[in-house]
Amino acid sequence: QEKHKILHKLLQNGN
Amino acid sequence: SHLLVAEPEKLFAMPDPLQPDTAQRTLTTLCDLADRELVVIIGWAKHIPGFLSLSLADQMSVLQSVWLEVLVLGVAYRSLGCEDEVVFAEDFVLDEEMSRVAGLTELNAAISQLARRFRALNVDREEFVMLKAIALTNSDSVYIEDMEAVQKLRDLLHQALLELECQRRPDDPQRAGRLLLTLPLLRQTAGRALNTFYSIKTRGGVPMHKLFLEMLEA
């Protein structure tokens, strides 16, 4: 997940 | 109707008017558009019923494996009205010549082939949004931990497609199957797109945003 930081962040955040 | 509401607003490519209309500008515009489209696809996926019930790790694995299928499906649908032109965005339509100049002949031929298949089927907006949601859940990523949960989502959407076609086209029982049988060509087309973007990245010289690079490398 460290390698896929932005995807992780976008999924965790609201819309 | 839920999927129709979840459908994102259209994006514009907005090619830089200060740059000359060259292959470099075409590729820069394409990669910038793909990056913004990715953000939209990730937001869209959250509205697909059941997607957020998957674990965060599985949401990531699914999106990493199918984002380009979702993106390409959108481009092919937008291109339905134009033969031999690929509508990446309303303000960014590539014909055969522009594609050749930018080194995108193979990609555009592949997307045009997919668009022809949808045109022959006369795919409408309801069917397009159904197929796109099914493509999302049709991931074959080996990194998915709870495949049963993904399969459940896929079954749910498959059932919705069957019901839609049963209501609207009771005289054409093969309709849903015909739509689903476009998925192998969609996967093949997304594979071509991945090769194209990967070779643009390898050659260098075209700016690529971080999210786009992250997903390409995944």
Side-chain angles (χ1 to χ4, degrees), chain A residues 4 6-7 10 13-15, chain B residues 46 56 59 64 210-211 214:
Chain A
H4 312 296
I6 307 175
L7 174 62
L10 284 171
N13 290 352
N15 304 314
Chain B
K46 294 182 185 179
L56 186 58
Q59 291 174 34
Q64 283 167 343
K210 277 188 192 157
L211 175 63
E214 185 180 293

Side-chain angles (χ1 to χ4, degrees), chain B residues 95-110:
Chain B
D95 61 20
E96 281 181 355
E97 175 59 13
M98 289 159 80
S99 306
R100 190 189 59 75
V101 170
L104 297 171
T105 300
E106 206 199 338
L107 175 64
N108 277 20

Side-chain angles (χ1 to χ4, degrees), chain B residues 27-82:
Chain B
L27 295 178
T28 302
T29 305
L30 183 63
C31 292
D32 173 68
L33 179 66
D35 181 76
R36 284 184 286 124
E37 190 115 30
L38 251 170
V39 177
V40 169
I41 287 171
I42 295 164
W44 161 83
K46 294 182 185 179
H47 292 284
I48 301 307
F51 183 78
L52 287 179
S53 66
L54 302 176
S55 70
L56 186 58
D58 281 351
Q59 291 174 34
M60 290 176 72
S61 300
V62 165
L63 277 167
Q64 283 167 343
S65 59
V66 303
W67 66 276
L68 209 37
E69 287 185 43
V70 173
L71 195 153
V72 159
L73 180 53
V75 176
Y77 182 71
R78 288 198 283 279
S79 308
L80 278 185
C82 332

Side-chain angles (χ1 to χ4, degrees), chain B residues 121-124 127 164-173 175:
Chain B
L121 282 168
N122 212 0
V123 170
D124 65 23
E127 292 169 331
L164 178 79
E165 298 302 353
C166 189
Q167 277 171 22
R168 296 188 337 163
R169 300 184 191 242
D171 53 325
D172 188 359
R175 180 78 184 168

Side-chain angles (χ1 to χ4, degrees), chain B residues 123-176:
Chain B
V123 170
D124 65 23
R125 193 163 174 80
E126 279 81 358
E127 292 169 331
F128 161 66
V129 298
M130 281 297 331
L131 264 185
K132 201 156 59 125
I134 290 171
L136 175 74
T137 58
N138 197 34
S139 167
D140 283 296
S141 167
V142 293
Y143 301 107
I144 292 171
E145 287 162 0
D146 188 354
M147 198 36 129
E148 208 178 307
V150 177
Q151 177 68 51
K152 260 191 195 162
L153 288 188
R154 195 185 301 154
D155 288 346
L156 192 83
L157 290 159
H158 181 190
Q159 188 59 37
L161 177 67
L162 292 175
E163 282 169 22
L164 178 79
E165 298 302 353
C166 189
Q167 277 171 22
R168 296 188 337 163
R169 300 184 191 242
D171 53 325
D172 188 359
Q174 260 104 46
R175 180 78 184 168

